[in-house]
Amino acid sequence: MRYSKELLIKLLVYTIMVFCSFLLVIYASSAYRNMIDENNNSENLVVSLNYLKTKVKMSENIEVINYKGVDCLVVIYDKYKNYIYYDNNQLKEVYVINDYEFDLNDGEVIMTLDDYDLEEIGGYINFTVQIDDEIRKLSVNKWKIRKVYMGF
């Protein structure tokens, strides 16, 4: 009888250890999954802001306009325009021939965002992007600083 009680106690302790180990693995995998999601959201915010910054820095003629009730960043080229705007939780862009009327649904999706704000103040274009609870802001000077060669 004593042998069977010891065996039952050992089995019970072993079962409790296995159960606790199983719970620990479940908790750790959930925490890891949350960490990966937060990291991806942070990277997506940085990528979207870098994309917008690059568009502003690469262009010589850029403006912020309101098109059909949506604030758009417009890069103006000789024969076409590139509109970048936020519609239905998506940052989109569309290339159109100058003065062509387009539908906001025509744009290609750049990235999905929870919120986006665009404004121009005194030569600076201010971007605000949000995914979940994380918000990032960027202010870009739209005027280029031209390098001047001064030969001495």
Side-chain angles (χ1 to χ4, degrees):
M1 180 91 173
R2 181 166 194 247
Y3 179 73
S4 64
K5 284 184 181 180
E6 288 178 9
L7 181 63
L8 282 175
I9 291 173
K10 288 179 183 179
L11 283 174
L12 181 62
V13 169
Y14 179 73
T15 304
I16 290 172
M17 285 179 38
V18 168
F19 181 72
C20 289
S21 297
F22 180 71
L23 289 178
L24 182 64
V25 167
I26 289 174
Y27 176 76
S29 67
S30 175
Y32 179 75
R33 195 172 309 118
N34 289 340
M35 186 176 64
I36 293 297
D37 289 343
E38 288 176 15
N39 190 29
N40 286 341
N41 289 344
S42 182
E43 285 180 11
N44 287 341
L45 288 173
V46 170
V47 167
S48 63
L49 287 175
N50 282 337
Y51 181 80
L52 294 166
K53 177 181 161 186
T54 301
K55 282 290 189 176
V56 171
K57 292 297 183 182
M58 284 178 33
S59 62
E60 293 188 21
N61 192 0
I62 195 161
E63 60 186 26
V64 175
I65 66 165
N66 190 295
Y67 179 80
K68 296 185 179 180
V70 175
D71 290 331
C72 299
L73 179 69
V74 182
V75 181
I76 302 169
Y77 300 98
D78 290 336
K79 297 181 181 181
Y80 64 93
K81 294 179 181 178
N82 176 212
Y83 289 80
I84 301 172
Y85 57 95
Y86 179 72
D87 183 47
N88 294 326
N89 289 349
Q90 295 174 326
L91 187 62
K92 297 180 179 182
E93 80 174 333
V94 64
Y95 289 88
V96 297
I97 296 173
N98 288 336
D99 301 325
Y100 176 78
E101 292 284 327
F102 68 95
D103 187 49
L104 294 173
N105 293 325
D106 294 341
E108 291 290 322
V109 176
I110 298 171
M111 187 162 301
T112 300
L113 301 171
D114 290 333
D115 197 17
Y116 170 83
D117 187 43
L118 166 69
E119 63 181 351
E120 181 180 358
I121 300 175
Y124 285 87
I125 300 175
N126 302 314
F127 302 99
T128 304
V129 294
Q130 178 180 353
I131 296 178
D132 293 334
D133 293 332
E134 189 171 354
I135 298 172
R136 296 273 175 109
K137 296 182 179 192
L138 176 69
S139 184
V140 182
N141 186 346
K142 78 175 199 173
W143 307 111
K144 298 233 184 284
I145 299 174
R146 308 249 191 281
K147 292 184 180 178
V148 178
Y149 175 75
M150 300 183 74
F152 293 108

mmCIF file of all heavy atoms in Angstrom, residues 81-101:
data_model
loop_
_atom_site.group_PDB
_atom_site.id
_atom_site.type_symbol
_atom_site.label_atom_id
_atom_site.label_comp_id
_atom_site.label_asym_id
_atom_site.label_seq_id
_atom_site.Cartn_x
_atom_site.Cartn_y
_atom_site.Cartn_z
ATOM 1 N N LYS A 81 0.921 63.524 -62.745
ATOM 2 C CA LYS A 81 0.974 63.817 -61.318
ATOM 3 C C LYS A 81 0.873 62.513 -60.538
ATOM 4 O O LYS A 81 0.225 61.570 -60.968
ATOM 5 C CB LYS A 81 -0.181 64.734 -60.908
ATOM 6 C CG LYS A 81 -0.108 66.115 -61.508
ATOM 7 C CD LYS A 81 -1.285 66.958 -61.071
ATOM 8 C CE LYS A 81 -1.231 68.333 -61.689
ATOM 9 N NZ LYS A 81 -2.379 69.158 -61.311
ATOM 10 N N ASN A 82 1.507 62.509 -59.390
ATOM 11 C CA ASN A 82 1.457 61.370 -58.479
ATOM 12 C C ASN A 82 0.743 61.829 -57.209
ATOM 13 O O ASN A 82 1.240 62.665 -56.483
ATOM 14 C CB ASN A 82 2.871 60.896 -58.176
ATOM 15 C CG ASN A 82 2.944 59.780 -57.158
ATOM 16 O OD1 ASN A 82 3.891 59.694 -56.415
ATOM 17 N ND2 ASN A 82 1.969 58.909 -57.112
ATOM 18 N N TYR A 83 -0.470 61.285 -56.983
ATOM 19 C CA TYR A 83 -1.255 61.617 -55.794
ATOM 20 C C TYR A 83 -1.023 60.537 -54.739
ATOM 21 O O TYR A 83 -1.159 59.348 -55.032
ATOM 22 C CB TYR A 83 -2.749 61.655 -56.116
ATOM 23 C CG TYR A 83 -3.185 62.824 -56.957
ATOM 24 C CD1 TYR A 83 -3.006 62.829 -58.338
ATOM 25 C CD2 TYR A 83 -3.799 63.922 -56.375
ATOM 26 C CE1 TYR A 83 -3.420 63.897 -59.112
ATOM 27 C CE2 TYR A 83 -4.219 64.995 -57.136
ATOM 28 C CZ TYR A 83 -4.024 64.976 -58.503
ATOM 29 O OH TYR A 83 -4.435 66.033 -59.260
ATOM 30 N N ILE A 84 -0.712 60.954 -53.526
ATOM 31 C CA ILE A 84 -0.587 60.035 -52.393
ATOM 32 C C ILE A 84 -1.598 60.486 -51.353
ATOM 33 O O ILE A 84 -1.603 61.654 -50.959
ATOM 34 C CB ILE A 84 0.835 60.040 -51.813
ATOM 35 C CG1 ILE A 84 1.843 59.640 -52.898
ATOM 36 C CG2 ILE A 84 0.931 59.094 -50.617
ATOM 37 C CD1 ILE A 84 3.279 59.805 -52.494
ATOM 38 N N TYR A 85 -2.465 59.582 -50.922
ATOM 39 C CA TYR A 85 -3.575 59.961 -50.047
ATOM 40 C C TYR A 85 -3.990 58.790 -49.165
ATOM 41 O O TYR A 85 -3.569 57.650 -49.372
ATOM 42 C CB TYR A 85 -4.768 60.455 -50.879
ATOM 43 C CG TYR A 85 -5.261 59.446 -51.887
ATOM 44 C CD1 TYR A 85 -6.311 58.604 -51.582
ATOM 45 C CD2 TYR A 85 -4.659 59.337 -53.141
ATOM 46 C CE1 TYR A 85 -6.753 57.671 -52.489
ATOM 47 C CE2 TYR A 85 -5.099 58.404 -54.057
ATOM 48 C CZ TYR A 85 -6.146 57.576 -53.728
ATOM 49 O OH TYR A 85 -6.586 56.635 -54.627
ATOM 50 N N TYR A 86 -4.821 59.097 -48.180
ATOM 51 C CA TYR A 86 -5.321 58.109 -47.222
ATOM 52 C C TYR A 86 -6.816 57.915 -47.466
ATOM 53 O O TYR A 86 -7.585 58.871 -47.446
ATOM 54 C CB TYR A 86 -5.074 58.620 -45.802
ATOM 55 C CG TYR A 86 -5.554 57.711 -44.700
ATOM 56 C CD1 TYR A 86 -4.898 56.527 -44.418
ATOM 57 C CD2 TYR A 86 -6.653 58.058 -43.926
ATOM 58 C CE1 TYR A 86 -5.323 55.704 -43.389
ATOM 59 C CE2 TYR A 86 -7.076 57.242 -42.890
ATOM 60 C CZ TYR A 86 -6.405 56.069 -42.631
ATOM 61 O OH TYR A 86 -6.832 55.260 -41.609
ATOM 62 N N ASP A 87 -7.217 56.660 -47.704
ATOM 63 C CA ASP A 87 -8.615 56.354 -47.991
ATOM 64 C C ASP A 87 -8.938 54.956 -47.462
ATOM 65 O O ASP A 87 -8.206 54.007 -47.745
ATOM 66 C CB ASP A 87 -8.854 56.423 -49.509
ATOM 67 C CG ASP A 87 -10.297 56.178 -49.891
ATOM 68 O OD1 ASP A 87 -11.184 56.782 -49.264
ATOM 69 O OD2 ASP A 87 -10.531 55.386 -50.826
ATOM 70 N N ASN A 88 -10.005 54.851 -46.686
ATOM 71 C CA ASN A 88 -10.457 53.557 -46.150
ATOM 72 C C ASN A 88 -9.348 52.803 -45.409
ATOM 73 O O ASN A 88 -9.066 51.639 -45.691
ATOM 74 C CB ASN A 88 -11.032 52.673 -47.260
ATOM 75 C CG ASN A 88 -12.292 53.247 -47.842
ATOM 76 O OD1 ASN A 88 -13.084 53.875 -47.145
ATOM 77 N ND2 ASN A 88 -12.480 53.065 -49.137
ATOM 78 N N ASN A 89 -8.678 53.490 -44.484
ATOM 79 C CA ASN A 89 -7.600 52.915 -43.676
ATOM 80 C C ASN A 89 -6.420 52.423 -44.499
ATOM 81 O O ASN A 89 -5.694 51.530 -44.079
ATOM 82 C CB ASN A 89 -8.106 51.789 -42.781
ATOM 83 C CG ASN A 89 -8.957 52.304 -41.646
ATOM 84 O OD1 ASN A 89 -9.011 53.504 -41.388
ATOM 85 N ND2 ASN A 89 -9.611 51.408 -40.955
ATOM 86 N N GLN A 90 -6.236 52.998 -45.675
ATOM 87 C CA GLN A 90 -5.118 52.597 -46.515
ATOM 88 C C GLN A 90 -4.425 53.829 -47.082
ATOM 89 O O GLN A 90 -5.082 54.778 -47.514
ATOM 90 C CB GLN A 90 -5.594 51.720 -47.671
ATOM 91 C CG GLN A 90 -6.170 50.400 -47.217
ATOM 92 C CD GLN A 90 -6.760 49.605 -48.356
ATOM 93 O OE1 GLN A 90 -7.311 50.167 -49.295
ATOM 94 N NE2 GLN A 90 -6.639 48.285 -48.274
ATOM 95 N N LEU A 91 -3.108 53.800 -47.059
ATOM 96 C CA LEU A 91 -2.322 54.817 -47.730
ATOM 97 C C LEU A 91 -2.215 54.363 -49.181
ATOM 98 O O LEU A 91 -1.777 53.253 -49.460
ATOM 99 C CB LEU A 91 -0.945 54.937 -47.083
ATOM 100 C CG LEU A 91 -0.066 56.077 -47.555
ATOM 101 C CD1 LEU A 91 -0.726 57.423 -47.252
ATOM 102 C CD2 LEU A 91 1.296 56.008 -46.891
ATOM 103 N N LYS A 92 -2.649 55.230 -50.104
ATOM 104 C CA LYS A 92 -2.710 54.857 -51.521
ATOM 105 C C LYS A 92 -1.968 55.879 -52.366
ATOM 106 O O LYS A 92 -1.747 57.009 -51.943
ATOM 107 C CB LYS A 92 -4.163 54.798 -52.002
ATOM 108 C CG LYS A 92 -5.011 53.754 -51.326
ATOM 109 C CD LYS A 92 -6.426 53.783 -51.883
ATOM 110 C CE LYS A 92 -7.315 52.740 -51.252
ATOM 111 N NZ LYS A 92 -8.657 52.751 -51.839
ATOM 112 N N GLU A 93 -1.643 55.466 -53.571
ATOM 113 C CA GLU A 93 -1.085 56.402 -54.544
ATOM 114 C C GLU A 93 -1.600 56.057 -55.928
ATOM 115 O O GLU A 93 -1.921 54.908 -56.225
ATOM 116 C CB GLU A 93 0.440 56.423 -54.513
ATOM 117 C CG GLU A 93 1.133 55.320 -55.224
ATOM 118 C CD GLU A 93 2.639 55.507 -55.267
ATOM 119 O OE1 GLU A 93 3.127 56.654 -55.221
ATOM 120 O OE2 GLU A 93 3.330 54.492 -55.354
ATOM 121 N N VAL A 94 -1.684 57.085 -56.743
ATOM 122 C CA VAL A 94 -2.124 56.900 -58.118
ATOM 123 C C VAL A 94 -1.357 57.885 -58.993
ATOM 124 O O VAL A 94 -1.078 59.013 -58.581
ATOM 125 C CB VAL A 94 -3.663 57.091 -58.255
ATOM 126 C CG1 VAL A 94 -4.081 58.507 -57.931
ATOM 127 C CG2 VAL A 94 -4.153 56.683 -59.625
ATOM 128 N N TYR A 95 -0.964 57.431 -60.173
ATOM 129 C CA TYR A 95 -0.327 58.279 -61.165
ATOM 130 C C TYR A 95 -1.366 58.603 -62.220
ATOM 131 O O TYR A 95 -2.018 57.700 -62.753
ATOM 132 C CB TYR A 95 0.851 57.553 -61.827
ATOM 133 C CG TYR A 95 2.040 57.381 -60.921
ATOM 134 C CD1 TYR A 95 2.151 56.271 -60.093
ATOM 135 C CD2 TYR A 95 3.049 58.326 -60.899
ATOM 136 C CE1 TYR A 95 3.237 56.117 -59.256
ATOM 137 C CE2 TYR A 95 4.152 58.171 -60.069
ATOM 138 C CZ TYR A 95 4.242 57.062 -59.250
ATOM 139 O OH TYR A 95 5.310 56.906 -58.421
ATOM 140 N N VAL A 96 -1.535 59.893 -62.515
ATOM 141 C CA VAL A 96 -2.518 60.310 -63.523
ATOM 142 C C VAL A 96 -1.903 61.352 -64.443
ATOM 143 O O VAL A 96 -0.986 62.093 -64.060
ATOM 144 C CB VAL A 96 -3.801 60.878 -62.872
ATOM 145 C CG1 VAL A 96 -4.502 59.830 -62.048
ATOM 146 C CG2 VAL A 96 -3.513 62.099 -62.039
ATOM 147 N N ILE A 97 -2.439 61.410 -65.659
ATOM 148 C CA ILE A 97 -2.063 62.468 -66.584
ATOM 149 C C ILE A 97 -2.598 63.775 -66.020
ATOM 150 O O ILE A 97 -3.656 63.808 -65.400
ATOM 151 C CB ILE A 97 -2.644 62.176 -67.984
ATOM 152 C CG1 ILE A 97 -2.014 60.893 -68.528
ATOM 153 C CG2 ILE A 97 -2.400 63.333 -68.934
ATOM 154 C CD1 ILE A 97 -2.626 60.414 -69.817
ATOM 155 N N ASN A 98 -1.854 64.851 -66.224
ATOM 156 C CA ASN A 98 -2.243 66.152 -65.677
ATOM 157 C C ASN A 98 -3.712 66.456 -65.918
ATOM 158 O O ASN A 98 -4.230 66.223 -67.010
ATOM 159 C CB ASN A 98 -1.384 67.264 -66.268
ATOM 160 C CG ASN A 98 0.019 67.231 -65.729
ATOM 161 O OD1 ASN A 98 0.271 66.715 -64.647
ATOM 162 N ND2 ASN A 98 0.952 67.785 -66.480
ATOM 163 N N ASP A 99 -4.385 66.940 -64.884
ATOM 164 C CA ASP A 99 -5.788 67.371 -64.914
ATOM 165 C C ASP A 99 -6.781 66.237 -65.164
ATOM 166 O O ASP A 99 -7.928 66.487 -65.508
ATOM 167 C CB ASP A 99 -6.004 68.489 -65.941
ATOM 168 C CG ASP A 99 -5.141 69.701 -65.633
ATOM 169 O OD1 ASP A 99 -4.936 69.977 -64.430
ATOM 170 O OD2 ASP A 99 -4.670 70.352 -66.577
ATOM 171 N N TYR A 100 -6.380 64.992 -65.023
ATOM 172 C CA TYR A 100 -7.299 63.866 -65.170
ATOM 173 C C TYR A 100 -8.052 63.672 -63.856
ATOM 174 O O TYR A 100 -7.459 63.643 -62.782
ATOM 175 C CB TYR A 100 -6.532 62.595 -65.538
ATOM 176 C CG TYR A 100 -7.393 61.357 -65.614
ATOM 177 C CD1 TYR A 100 -8.195 61.128 -66.721
ATOM 178 C CD2 TYR A 100 -7.400 60.434 -64.575
ATOM 179 C CE1 TYR A 100 -8.987 59.993 -66.792
ATOM 180 C CE2 TYR A 100 -8.186 59.302 -64.642
ATOM 181 C CZ TYR A 100 -8.980 59.095 -65.751
ATOM 182 O OH TYR A 100 -9.767 57.975 -65.821
ATOM 183 N N GLU A 101 -9.361 63.560 -63.931
ATOM 184 C CA GLU A 101 -10.188 63.304 -62.753
ATOM 185 C C GLU A 101 -10.174 61.805 -62.482
ATOM 186 O O GLU A 101 -10.544 61.009 -63.341
ATOM 187 C CB GLU A 101 -11.622 63.767 -63.000
ATOM 188 C CG GLU A 101 -11.768 65.268 -63.109
ATOM 189 C CD GLU A 101 -11.704 65.955 -61.765
ATOM 190 O OE1 GLU A 101 -12.155 65.370 -60.760
ATOM 191 O OE2 GLU A 101 -11.181 67.089 -61.720
#
